[in-house]
Amino acid sequence: MLGLTIREVSQAMREGRVSPTELCRRCLEQVKSTSYLNAYITVTEEQALQQAQESQVRFLKGKPKGPLDGIPFSVKDNFCTESMETTCASRMLKGYRPPYTATVVQKLLDQGAVLIGKTNLDEFAMGSGSTDGVFGPVQNPWSYSVQYRERAGADAGWTIAGGSSGGSAVAVAAQTSFFALGSDTGGSTRNPGALCGVVALKPTYGLLSRHGLIPLVNSMDVPGILTRSASDAATVLGVLQGLDKKDSTTIPPPATPTHLPEEIDVRKIRIGIPREYHAPGLSAETLSQWTRVADLFEREGASVEPVSLPHTQHSIVCYHVLCTAEVASNMARFDGLEYGHRSALEDSTEALYAATRHEAFNDVVRRRILAGNFFLLKRNYELYFMKAQKVRRLIAQDFARVFHGGVDVLLTPTTLTDAAPYRQFIQEDNRTRSTQEDVFTQPANMAGLPAVTVPTALSSRGLPIGLQLIGPALHDTRLLALAAWLQKRLCFPRLELAGTWAEPGDVGVAPGLQGALQGHT
Amino acid sequence: MAASLVGVLAVVRNVSVKRTVRSKCLISSSHVCTRRLGASACRNAKAQVKRSLSQELVGVVGLEIHAQIHASTKLFSGSQVRFSSPPNSLVSFFDASLPGTLPVLNRRCVEAAVMTGLALNCTINKKSLFDRKHYFYADLPAGYQITQQRLPVAVDGRLSYGVLVDGSQNHVLERSVRIKQIQLEQDSGKSLRDGHRSQTLIDLNRAGIGLMELVMEPDMCCGEEAAAAVRELQLILQALGTCQGNMSEGQLRVDANVSVHRPGEPLGVRTEVKNINSARFLARAIDYELQRQMAVVESGGTVVNETRAFDFKSGQTIPMRDKEGLQDYRFMPEPNLPPLLLYDQQTAPMDADPTQVILIDQIQEQLPELPRVTRERLVKTYGILPEHSFTLVNEDDLVDYFVSVVQRTKAEPRKVIGWVLKDLLGQLKQRCLSTAQSPISPLALAELLDLLEAGRISSPAAKLVFQELWKGTGRSAEQIVEQQDLGVMRDHGEIERICQSVIDSHPEEVRAIRGGNRNVLNKLMGRVMKQTKGRADPLLVRTLLEEKTS
């Protein structure tokens, strides 16, 4: 039951084969039995059951609200939820209960969807592993799978979930939620989506409201949608998209319906393979999957052609400047006065600020603030920020030129490799990791384009590999239709959990945090 | 043109009189002589004085004015805007910078800025941008202010204003100052220092209120000009309704950039005089700072580029403690607000939502009559003096009062203006009342002037009636004249009798008049007028007295 798609389980509820409360209970049980994955920061059991109960009444009356009524979902813990803790996995916001709910979350609640909990992430969504939050790292359920056990060997150790929306990806992969919200600034939804073997959509910038999403980079952030099927993602997108008076950067959605056609004809489709995405560090297995899918398209009659995005190579360094600059600006509000952590050191206002920020931000956040402020200094602004903005425009123009030339969609890898074991991942620092991991995902954020990752196959170690489709702005639904077409043909295997690893030492959670984790999950 | 040049000199002279005296003192003191001129030059001290007079230091004053936009809600949030509400009672989630909240631009604030820009002859930018200006301060919750640094909503304007030279001379000089730009930005909250408990209290009611920052080029030369420019701006804003302009409530706040130099030479180092929040102190603060800088320069010192505050108690400007040193505001484009696009009726996009479109030419058409035009109309229509039109327009509601009286009385507007400005306004000022609080309605004054015009009361009696009306007893002028017997004496015999009795009781004076001292006659006239309570016709009285003393 928990492995069904939204459409399937909604049908089951309509037919009375399962009730919303039963479904909710089973999800909550699954959350408990997979709590070692550390996917959730807060589980909202009571509210969830209450919502499920209300949904049940509607189903009994034969009047469910829509395709999401009674469907359990989870939300990355950087979306504000009224009177419910919203932490951004930071000491800064531990215990912070916002007085309002993010637009996208509210839309789901209004549709009768049942909120199971708030999911784990890198602190303030800065990271690509979901390893750098104050509540400890998220673990990839596939590293607990039968497949991984068999292929990777007994001492391989658990792997990261990817990030920064690792908790949301795990929630969907481990079948504790039917869908989840993430956020995507440089790949934060697609990266963990690929590593956890789920569908992850980064919608067109402005299509979904950011009101209530605690920002990382305002000009690139979008709420992301994680599901087990592309068709589910389209259903959720249909509910979430649209103008929001509270977010001036939202745009009107296209008039076309969001539900996907049963079948599409790929023979009229032109697929571009960006040359520059043959990046150093790309694993042979990912490359071979990329080739396999390109061949599949070609076999089915699509036109597959190489294209060039010459400025892509500058995307990461450019992103680094723009991202840190906005981070420095956005984080300036955390001074301990109005909300969040406040240091006990109150010698002066300045001393209070310094101590508060030092105590409550981790190294990653503090380093980005420092770098960002450096780039924004009057003497550096033109040299770095202005230049990065210009490069950003060139990157966007690369995409525009390719799409204008008749290419409908780009097919690329989502990540360089499958998920790294935690022990290996933490050998490099966060910045290096982000630089490496975001290479394929990040240009779409620069250009504001929709992109979706589709689970493609398992690697030789038994871990998921995903491929990415990037489309022109506002072609989100067409992109999902193509993703659905792919999914149907790829037959990505089902996750079979084999239980926890024998050695708890591998968990990698700081001892002091164990209590906090239990308290939150 | 020639007149304005003379005007500049006149104003400068007013300011520099005191200073010239001071500079003479400085040069005659031996200390200054040895340092500045050397021993040999000392002999030529007199020539030096002359030279320094011919190359007089002049003041250069530019202004930065923050005008709070008169709107019911804040610039980027739906919070109410109200003065003196309980602390932190008008704070939205956005105002408190709660994470995840986003700015939503208030249409009214944009319209107000466009309207103000048009009234100040600015070019309205069809595309303007918002930026973040970063600094840490307790009353700035987000750690940055949203402003328009790169591309403001309006640029390149001009404000014309008049300077009243020497109140008594009643002369108006036309002046103008260039407006560099008008930008939209957020107001900050307020910090209150509780020294007793050594803590700072924050009130965010003001945080996020829409401001128009108007930058005026350094085209003014003294406090008086700056004050006149600010006053004219205040009147324009009030006429437009874009800012209530009340300085004591902080709706209009002035920072002055002040420097001195010799004409023809580059501008001197400037200081910024901050937080001049009272119209009364504006001119004083600037003039103090000008004189301070002139003294510094003339004594061979250099003016330091610094921020100074005006202390109204001592009447001085004092350096402000600037702990942060040189601020780098780390400006950055505001990513949550798309560019602000404005249109004309011709260029407006056809398919756009009309609630999202602001039309510049439509606002231009809606501009109300500006103070300058009101003054010209008053001079033209009623034949009053230009300086009187200034006084009328300067006072809230006084134009309406004046026009109302003129419409109800047979008296000439030129007579009415005297009564309104001298008698009515004089009394109001003396008692710190506004025109609206006047105990004498326009109708009551009109009736009084009609009695005077019809010759039913004399001018002195009219003043007495005015005093009675001021008491606000509800009696009309007519009733007062009746009850207090203030009407002109028509009884020829009675007047003659009073004249005779005055002559009889003043033999000395009569002798003097007969001896040829005709001036003494005025004294006798005064006595008669007093005894008749000013009700006798003065011409008649004079004739009678002359007859009787010849």
Side-chain angles (χ1 to χ4, degrees), chain A residues 80 96 99-100 210-214 218 245-249 325-326 329-330 332-333 337-339 353 357 373 376-378 381 385, chain B residues 93 96-104 132 134 136-138 141-144 200 204 323-324 328 330-333 335-338:
Chain A
C80 290
Y96 172 63
Y100 75 103
R210 291 180 295 114
H211 172 252
L213 167 61
I214 297 178
N218 302 282
K245 278 184 180 166
K246 293 170 181 167
D247 177 358
S248 309
T249 63
E326 280 200 39
S329 176
N330 288 332
R333 72 190 60 227
L337 295 192
E338 279 83 14
Y339 42 79
Y353 287 167
R357 292 163 68 78
N373 278 322
L376 288 177
L377 284 177
K378 203 175 174 188
Y381 184 79
F385 192 85
Chain B
F93 300 153
S97 81
L98 294 199
T101 54
L102 298 167
V104 179
R132 291 180 179 182
H134 299 88
F136 280 108
Y137 208 78
Y144 57 80
T200 304
L204 294 181
K323 281 173 286 183
E324 319 256 341
D328 190 322
R330 291 158 288 133
F331 283 101
M332 186 190 90
N336 295 319
L337 290 166

Side-chain angles (χ1 to χ4, degrees), chain B residues 447-448 451 456 465 475-483:
Chain B
E447 283 175 1
L448 168 61
L451 291 176
R456 292 196 38 213
V465 175
R475 287 178 301 165
S476 69
E478 182 91 52
Q479 287 167 327
I480 293 168
V481 168
E482 193 103 336
Q483 285 168 12

Side-chain angles (χ1 to χ4, degrees), chain B residues 264-532:
Chain B
E265 291 179 7
L267 293 182
V269 175
R270 67 179 200 195
T271 62
E272 189 176 6
V273 185
K274 281 252 185 209
N275 304 330
I276 312 172
N277 294 339
S278 140
R280 239 170 86 209
F281 296 131
L282 179 64
R284 273 178 61 195
I286 290 170
D287 285 341
Y288 174 86
E289 180 57 17
L290 281 172
Q291 287 174 23
R292 187 191 69 82
Q293 289 188 15
M294 286 175 180
V296 168
V297 171
E298 281 174 350
S299 63
T302 42
V303 175
V304 183
N305 177 225
E306 62 183 350
T307 305
R308 301 176 69 89
F310 182 66
D311 175 29
F312 69 93
K313 282 180 196 145
S314 66
Q316 298 180 339
T317 64
I318 44 177
M320 276 170 82
R321 207 157 52 97
D322 195 358
K323 281 173 286 183
E324 319 256 341
L326 201 60
Q327 283 268 16
D328 190 322
Y329 292 118
R330 291 158 288 133
F331 283 101
M332 186 190 90
E334 167 55 63
N336 295 319
L337 290 166
L340 169 57
L341 300 179
L342 302 170
Y343 301 94
D344 286 328
Q345 274 154 9
Q346 292 292 317
T347 61
M350 302 296 278
D351 55 341
D353 175 359
T355 65
Q356 296 293 310
V357 174
I358 293 175
L359 303 173
I360 301 166
D361 49 354
Q362 204 172 64
I363 294 176
Q364 177 90 58
E365 286 162 18
Q366 291 163 357
L367 281 185
E369 184 180 83
L370 295 176
R372 180 188 186 78
V373 180
T374 309
R375 283 190 294 260
E376 284 168 5
R377 175 170 60 85
L378 289 170
V379 170
K380 210 172 147 200
T381 314
Y382 301 110
I384 62 174
L385 294 171
E387 54 266 32
H388 288 163
S389 72
F390 267 87
T391 317
L392 276 184
V393 171
N394 270 354
E395 301 299 327
D396 291 342
D397 307 324
L398 200 58
V399 171
D400 287 347
Y401 189 101
F402 167 73
V403 172
S404 192
V405 175
V406 167
Q407 284 168 350
R408 288 174 166 83
T409 179
K410 294 187 184 76
E412 283 292 305
R414 268 190 280 193
K415 283 186 185 159
V416 175
I417 192 73
W419 280 86
V420 168
L421 294 188
K422 201 159 157 275
D423 299 282
L424 182 84
L425 187 60
Q427 290 286 342
L428 290 172
K429 289 271 172 200
Q430 209 179 335
R431 291 170 171 80
C432 291
L433 294 175
S434 68
T435 306
Q437 290 169 308
S438 165
I440 302 178
S441 70
L443 179 62
L445 183 58
E447 283 175 1
L448 168 61
L449 297 184
D450 276 346
L451 291 176
L452 183 64
E453 193 64 19
R456 292 196 38 213
I457 52 172
S458 66
S459 208
K463 303 280 176 191
L464 287 175
V465 175
F466 185 88
Q467 296 301 336
E468 279 304 309
L469 284 173
W470 187 266
K471 290 175 186 164
T473 54
R475 287 178 301 165
S476 69
E478 182 91 52
Q479 287 167 327
I480 293 168
V481 168
E482 193 103 336
Q483 285 168 12
Q484 303 198 3
D485 197 17
L486 292 172
V488 165
M489 291 175 72
R490 310 225 174 256
D491 187 341
H492 200 285
E494 175 69 5
I495 297 171
E496 194 165 357
R497 195 187 56 73
I498 293 170
C499 285
Q500 192 58 54
S501 82
V502 167
I503 284 173
D504 292 348
S505 56
H506 293 82
E508 287 285 319
E509 284 80 359
V510 173
R511 240 193 315 279
I513 293 165
R514 286 184 176 140
N517 190 351
R518 304 296 296 176
N519 285 341
V520 180
L521 193 71
N522 290 335
K523 185 174 175 185
L524 297 186
M525 273 206 66
R527 298 287 150 141
V528 174
M529 292 316 280
K530 194 174 176 189
Q531 282 198 22
T532 59

Side-chain angles (χ1 to χ4, degrees), chain B residues 64-68 133 145 183 185-187 211-214 237 243 250-255 274:
Chain B
E64 282 172 30
I65 297 167
H66 288 94
Q68 248 182 24
K133 176 181 177 176
Q145 174 199 36
Q183 63 197 48
E185 61 183 35
Q186 295 171 296
D187 209 340
L211 293 178
M212 294 179 279
E213 181 180 328
L214 296 103
L237 296 175
C243 169
Q251 289 157 349
L252 202 64
R253 307 194 281 272
V254 181
D255 297 338
K274 281 252 185 209

